Amino acid sequence: MNTPSQTGRNAPDRQAYYDRIARHGMAPLWESLHSLVPREPQPRAVPALWKYDEVRPLVMQAGDVISAEEAVRRVLILENPGLPGRASITSTLYAGLQLILPGEIAPSHRHTQSALRFIVEGQGAYTAVNGERTTMRPGDFIITPSWTWHDHGNPTVDEGGEPVVWLDGLDIPLIGHLDAGFAENYPEATQPVSRNEGHSFAAFGHNMVPVRHRSTDPTSPIFSYPYDRSREALDRLFRQGELDAWDGVKLRYVNPATGGWPMPTMATFLQFLPAGFAGRTYRNTDATVFSVVEGQGTARIGDSTFQYGPRDTFVAPSWAPVQLAATQDAVLFSYSDRPVQAALNLLREERI
Ligand code: 1HN
């Protein structure tokens, strides 16, 4: 397509003019108007898949290269091929695979970026948030909300510890765009434990809340959403005939005190696709990261077709057509920046 500088009058003079205004901190809008205001989203992120079988050995090798304590967080970033060098899986979200070996700790800190953990492999490690520890099991969804102290640890081999790997999801690129990042280290490696494990789940995880609880906090008061409960919900709904032609059986995780999202910047979902499911095509403006828990199938995203299996991670960019199918009963966890788009009245969904 011709740009004005190639077609307009006095074309040779134009570049000289652009150079002149550039010296005054100005630029011609008419040269970039189309890309600044596209007819529809033009994400630089591309569809991508990380096969766990391929990346697992590399994640485990990180354990030979550096300790969790030295690394602070020993994570391999899942970087979108369309966003090289930007520690981003989508334009607003970060993803990484974190490894913690038996006997290790990842020291306590806090930051304004919100984080979610989705446990991929191994069990028995813990995350501590605000004085309460939560034991990790595969498929559990755990949050570390903005500005909460958090550290991770794993029992020694003698205590039954095993390597644990989880998917980290953070809103790092979003907070970077907003220039709203702050962080600090806790004075000790681990924060003191002030409540027994299960306290927040007992108080808020059973469709009840403490009688005088009043909160306008947009962040969930429970830190862990155990897989067995979420999985059972999907199973029961499926067996009662619930099946959406696009999504299969899909639930979103909630802040049980408000009905809103677990954290203000990231939405999380769990969905079941029965064997033989061939979903219809949809597209959303919230680019979405998927982590496969169980089963196998195909994800068609834009022009890409991915065969997914347990523990794989894949990403659908904004507004790319997505079609999910399963050859075996499949369970997919996913996260996106939907709460941000919804709050700004920007969320668009199309079911085709
Ligand atoms: C972080 O604090 C964690 O707490 C994981 O486990 C990944 C990536 C960038 C910045 C902070 C964690 C992170 C992170």
Side-chain angles (χ1 to χ4, degrees):
M1 196 171 70
N2 286 332
T3 60
S5 64
Q6 291 162 325
T7 56
R9 57 193 168 195
N10 302 328
D13 293 346
R14 257 187 207 169
Q15 193 53 51
Y17 171 73
Y18 294 168
D19 295 344
R20 228 157 46 236
I21 65 175
R23 289 196 285 278
H24 296 269
M26 296 189 285
L29 172 63
W30 57 87
E31 292 286 347
S32 56
L33 186 57
H34 315 285
S35 58
L36 288 176
V37 188
R39 289 168 57 84
E40 55 179 46
Q42 303 288 339
R44 285 209 263 159
V46 296
L49 167 74
W50 289 263
K51 293 294 291 175
Y52 196 69
D53 288 348
E54 288 170 23
V55 301
R56 183 184 188 277
L58 302 168
V59 171
M60 292 301 164
Q61 283 163 27
D64 303 327
V65 170
I66 193 166
S67 71
E69 190 145 17
E70 190 193 346
V72 181
R73 296 296 184 265
R74 185 173 49 218
V75 184
L76 298 188
I77 301 170
L78 304 184
E79 202 166 70
N80 191 293
L83 301 167
R86 295 188 28 195
S88 301
I89 192 162
T90 74
S91 59
T92 57
L93 298 174
Y94 159 104
L97 290 172
Q98 180 158 176
L99 169 69
I100 187 154
L101 294 171
E104 289 192 317
I105 54 158
S108 198
H109 68 192
R110 65 178 178 178
H111 36 71
T112 50
Q113 292 84 356
S114 300
L116 65 86
R117 329 278 168 200
F118 189 70
I119 317 310
V120 170
E121 175 183 347
Q123 58 184 321
Y126 67 83
T127 284
V129 182
N130 277 349
E132 184 175 334
R133 287 183 179 178
T134 296
T135 303
M136 297 174 160
R137 292 177 196 84
D140 291 353
F141 158 55
I142 293 174
I143 65 170
T144 55
S146 176
W147 212 238
T148 54
W149 295 113
H150 56 280
D151 46 88
H152 317 296
N154 200 344
T156 62
V157 174
D158 290 346
E159 295 164 330
E162 57 186 46
V164 175
V165 177
W166 64 81
L167 178 71
D168 283 315
L170 287 91
D171 52 12
I172 290 173
L174 174 67
I175 304 308
H177 287 303
L178 299 173
D179 277 331
F182 293 88
E184 56 187 38
N185 291 325
Y186 195 75
E188 266 125 80
T190 54
Q191 62 182 296
V193 173
S194 57
R195 287 181 295 173
N196 289 330
E197 173 153 14
H199 184 281
S200 59
F201 200 79
F204 293 97
H206 297 86
N207 300 321
M208 304 177 91
V209 301
V211 61
R212 268 174 269 288
H213 175 75
R214 269 169 173 273
S215 176
T216 51
D217 192 341
T219 293
S220 173
I222 59 175
F223 305 120
S224 177
Y225 297 75
Y227 185 61
D228 51 1
R229 303 211 359 161
S230 313
R231 180 72 180 83
E232 188 190 346
L234 295 179
D235 192 55
R236 281 187 184 239
L237 289 170
F238 174 65
R239 282 193 280 114
Q240 290 173 36
E242 206 73 50
L243 193 69
D244 180 86
W246 289 264
D247 296 333
V249 186
K250 186 170 184 178
L251 297 174
R252 69 177 175 91
Y253 292 88
V254 293
N255 172 344
T258 65
W261 313 97
M263 294 184 288
T265 53
M266 289 184 284
T268 45
F269 310 88
L270 196 72
Q271 70 195 109
F272 174 74
L273 311 176
F277 181 77
R280 298 177 68 175
T281 302
Y282 67 88
R283 56 182 178 171
N284 297 333
T285 51
D286 58 329
T288 303
V289 181
F290 292 84
S291 179
V292 181
V293 196
E294 302 174 28
Q296 296 194 326
T298 304
R300 287 209 176 77
I301 304 172
D303 297 329
S304 302
T305 301
F306 300 134
Q307 305 299 332
Y308 67 77
R311 301 170 177 171
D312 294 349
T313 308
F314 61 89
V315 60
S318 168
W319 215 232
V322 177
Q323 197 182 5
L324 299 172
T327 50
Q328 297 174 357
D329 283 359
V331 179
L332 308 179
F333 171 83
S334 56
Y335 69 97
S336 79
D337 64 9
R338 179 167 295 218
V340 179
Q341 298 208 17
L344 301 180
N345 209 20
L346 293 172
L347 183 70
R348 281 205 201 188
E349 297 183 87
E350 195 173 88
R351 282 151 73 95
I352 299 162

Coordinates of all heavy atoms in Angstrom, one line a residue, residues 241-273:
G241 N -25.4 -33.3 31.3 CA -25.7 -32.9 30.0 C -25.3 -31.5 29.6 O -25.7 -30.9 28.6
E242 N -24.5 -30.8 30.5 CA -24.1 -29.5 30.2 C -22.9 -29.5 29.2 O -21.9 -30.1 29.5 CB -23.5 -28.9 31.5 CG -23.6 -27.4 31.6 CD -25.0 -26.9 31.9 OE1 -25.7 -27.4 32.7 OE2 -25.3 -25.9 31.1
L243 N -23.1 -29.0 28.0 CA -22.0 -29.0 27.0 C -22.2 -27.9 26.0 O -23.1 -27.9 25.2 CB -21.9 -30.4 26.3 CG -20.6 -30.6 25.5 CD1 -19.4 -30.7 26.4 CD2 -20.7 -31.8 24.6
D244 N -21.3 -26.9 26.1 CA -21.4 -25.8 25.2 C -20.7 -26.1 23.9 O -19.6 -26.7 23.9 CB -20.8 -24.6 25.9 CG -20.8 -23.3 25.0 OD1 -21.8 -22.6 25.0 OD2 -19.8 -23.1 24.3
A245 N -21.2 -25.7 22.8 CA -20.7 -26.2 21.5 C -19.3 -25.5 21.2 O -18.5 -26.0 20.4 CB -21.6 -25.8 20.3
W246 N -19.0 -24.4 21.9 CA -17.7 -23.7 21.7 C -16.7 -24.1 22.8 O -15.5 -24.3 22.5 CB -17.9 -22.2 21.7 CG -18.6 -21.7 20.5 CD1 -18.0 -21.2 19.4 CD2 -20.0 -21.6 20.3 NE1 -18.9 -20.8 18.5 CE2 -20.2 -21.0 19.0 CE3 -21.1 -21.9 21.1 CZ2 -21.5 -20.8 18.5 CZ3 -22.4 -21.7 20.5 CH2 -22.5 -21.1 19.3
D247 N -17.2 -24.2 24.0 CA -16.3 -24.3 25.2 C -16.3 -25.6 25.9 O -15.5 -25.9 26.8 CB -16.8 -23.3 26.3 CG -16.7 -21.9 25.8 OD1 -15.9 -21.5 25.0 OD2 -17.5 -21.0 26.4
G248 N -17.2 -26.6 25.5 CA -17.3 -27.8 26.3 C -18.0 -27.4 27.6 O -18.9 -26.6 27.6
V249 N -17.5 -27.9 28.7 CA -18.0 -27.4 30.0 C -16.9 -26.5 30.6 O -15.8 -26.9 30.8 CB -18.2 -28.6 31.0 CG1 -18.9 -28.1 32.3 CG2 -19.1 -29.7 30.4
K250 N -17.3 -25.2 30.7 CA -16.2 -24.3 31.1 C -16.7 -23.4 32.3 O -17.8 -22.9 32.2 CB -15.9 -23.4 29.9 CG -14.7 -22.4 30.2 CD -14.3 -21.7 28.9 CE -13.1 -20.9 29.1 NZ -12.6 -20.2 27.8
L251 N -15.9 -23.4 33.3 CA -16.2 -22.6 34.5 C -15.1 -21.5 34.7 O -13.9 -21.8 34.3 CB -16.3 -23.4 35.7 CG -17.4 -24.5 35.8 CD1 -17.3 -25.4 37.0 CD2 -18.8 -23.8 35.8
R252 N -15.4 -20.4 35.3 CA -14.4 -19.5 35.7 C -14.2 -19.5 37.2 O -15.1 -19.8 37.9 CB -14.7 -18.1 35.2 CG -15.9 -17.4 35.9 CD -16.1 -16.0 35.4 NE -17.2 -15.3 36.0 CZ -17.2 -14.6 37.2 NH1 -16.1 -14.5 37.8 NH2 -18.3 -14.1 37.6
Y253 N -13.0 -19.3 37.6 CA -12.7 -19.2 39.0 C -13.2 -17.9 39.6 O -13.1 -16.9 38.8 CB -11.2 -19.4 39.3 CG -10.6 -20.7 39.0 CD1 -10.2 -21.0 37.7 CD2 -10.5 -21.7 39.9 CE1 -9.6 -22.3 37.4 CE2 -9.9 -23.0 39.7 CZ -9.5 -23.2 38.4 OH -9.0 -24.5 38.1
V254 N -13.6 -17.9 40.8 CA -14.2 -16.6 41.4 C -13.5 -16.2 42.7 O -12.9 -17.1 43.4 CB -15.7 -16.7 41.7 CG1 -16.5 -16.8 40.4 CG2 -16.0 -17.8 42.7
N255 N -13.6 -15.0 43.0 CA -13.4 -14.5 44.3 C -14.7 -14.8 45.1 O -15.7 -14.2 44.8 CB -13.1 -13.0 44.3 CG -13.1 -12.3 45.6 OD1 -13.6 -12.9 46.6 ND2 -12.6 -11.1 45.7
P256 N -14.7 -15.7 46.1 CA -15.9 -16.2 46.7 C -16.6 -15.1 47.5 O -17.8 -15.2 47.8 CB -15.5 -17.3 47.6 CG -14.0 -17.1 47.8 CD -13.5 -16.4 46.6
A257 N -15.9 -14.0 47.8 CA -16.5 -13.0 48.6 C -17.2 -11.9 47.7 O -18.1 -11.2 48.3 CB -15.4 -12.3 49.5
T258 N -17.0 -11.9 46.5 CA -17.6 -10.9 45.6 C -18.2 -11.5 44.4 O -19.0 -10.8 43.7 CB -16.5 -9.9 45.1 OG1 -15.6 -10.6 44.3 CG2 -15.8 -9.2 46.3
G259 N -17.8 -12.7 44.0 CA -18.3 -13.2 42.7 C -17.5 -12.7 41.5 O -17.7 -13.2 40.4
G260 N -16.5 -11.8 41.8 CA -15.7 -11.3 40.8 C -14.5 -12.2 40.5 O -14.5 -13.4 40.9
W261 N -13.5 -11.7 39.8 CA -12.3 -12.5 39.4 C -11.4 -12.7 40.7 O -11.5 -11.9 41.6 CB -11.6 -11.7 38.4 CG -12.4 -11.2 37.3 CD1 -12.9 -10.0 37.1 CD2 -12.9 -12.0 36.1 NE1 -13.7 -9.9 36.0 CE2 -13.7 -11.1 35.4 CE3 -12.8 -13.3 35.7 CZ2 -14.4 -11.5 34.2 CZ3 -13.4 -13.7 34.6 CH2 -14.2 -12.8 33.8
P262 N -10.6 -13.8 40.7 CA -9.7 -14.0 41.8 C -8.8 -12.8 42.0 O -8.4 -12.5 43.2 CB -9.0 -15.3 41.4 CG -9.9 -16.0 40.5 CD -10.6 -14.9 39.7
M263 N -8.3 -12.2 41.0 CA -7.4 -11.0 41.1 C -7.9 -10.0 40.0 O -8.5 -10.4 39.0 CB -6.0 -11.5 40.8 CG -5.4 -12.4 41.9 SD -3.7 -12.8 41.7 CE -3.8 -13.9 40.3
P264 N -7.6 -8.7 40.2 CA -8.2 -7.7 39.4 C -7.6 -7.7 37.9 O -8.3 -7.1 37.0 CB -7.9 -6.4 40.1 CG -7.0 -6.7 41.2 CD -6.9 -8.2 41.4
T265 N -6.5 -8.3 37.7 CA -5.9 -8.2 36.3 C -6.0 -9.5 35.5 O -5.7 -9.4 34.3 CB -4.4 -7.7 36.4 OG1 -3.7 -8.6 37.3 CG2 -4.3 -6.3 36.9
M266 N -6.2 -10.6 36.2 CA -6.2 -11.9 35.4 C -7.4 -12.7 35.7 O -7.8 -12.9 36.9 CB -4.9 -12.7 35.7 CG -3.7 -12.0 35.1 SD -2.2 -13.0 35.4 CE -1.9 -12.7 37.1
A267 N -8.0 -13.2 34.7 CA -9.1 -14.2 34.8 C -8.6 -15.6 34.6 O -7.6 -15.8 33.9 CB -10.2 -13.9 33.7
T268 N -9.2 -16.6 35.3 CA -8.7 -18.0 35.1 C -10.0 -18.9 34.9 O -11.1 -18.6 35.4 CB -8.0 -18.4 36.3 OG1 -8.7 -18.0 37.5 CG2 -6.6 -17.9 36.4
F269 N -9.7 -19.9 34.1 CA -10.8 -20.8 33.7 C -10.4 -22.2 33.8 O -9.2 -22.5 33.7 CB -11.2 -20.5 32.3 CG -11.5 -19.0 32.0 CD1 -10.4 -18.2 31.6 CD2 -12.7 -18.5 32.1 CE1 -10.7 -16.8 31.3 CE2 -13.0 -17.1 31.9 CZ -11.9 -16.3 31.5
L270 N -11.4 -23.1 33.9 CA -11.1 -24.6 33.8 C -12.2 -25.1 32.9 O -13.4 -24.8 33.1 CB -11.0 -25.3 35.1 CG -10.4 -26.7 35.1 CD1 -8.9 -26.6 34.9 CD2 -10.7 -27.4 36.5
Q271 N -11.8 -25.9 31.9 CA -12.9 -26.5 31.0 C -12.6 -27.9 30.7 O -11.5 -28.4 30.7 CB -13.0 -25.7 29.7 CG -11.8 -25.8 28.8 CD -11.9 -24.7 27.7 OE1 -11.0 -23.8 27.7 NE2 -12.8 -24.8 26.8
F272 N -13.7 -28.6 30.5 CA -13.7 -30.1 30.1 C -14.2 -30.3 28.7 O -15.2 -29.7 28.3 CB -14.6 -30.8 31.1 CG -14.7 -32.3 30.8 CD1 -13.7 -33.2 31.0 CD2 -15.9 -32.8 30.2 CE1 -13.8 -34.5 30.7 CE2 -16.0 -34.1 29.9 CZ -15.0 -35.0 30.2
L273 N -13.4 -31.0 27.9 CA -13.8 -31.3 26.6 C -13.9 -32.8 26.5 O -12.8 -33.5 26.6 CB -12.7 -30.8 25.6 CG -12.3 -29.4 25.7 CD1 -11.2 -29.1 24.7 CD2 -13.4 -28.4 25.5

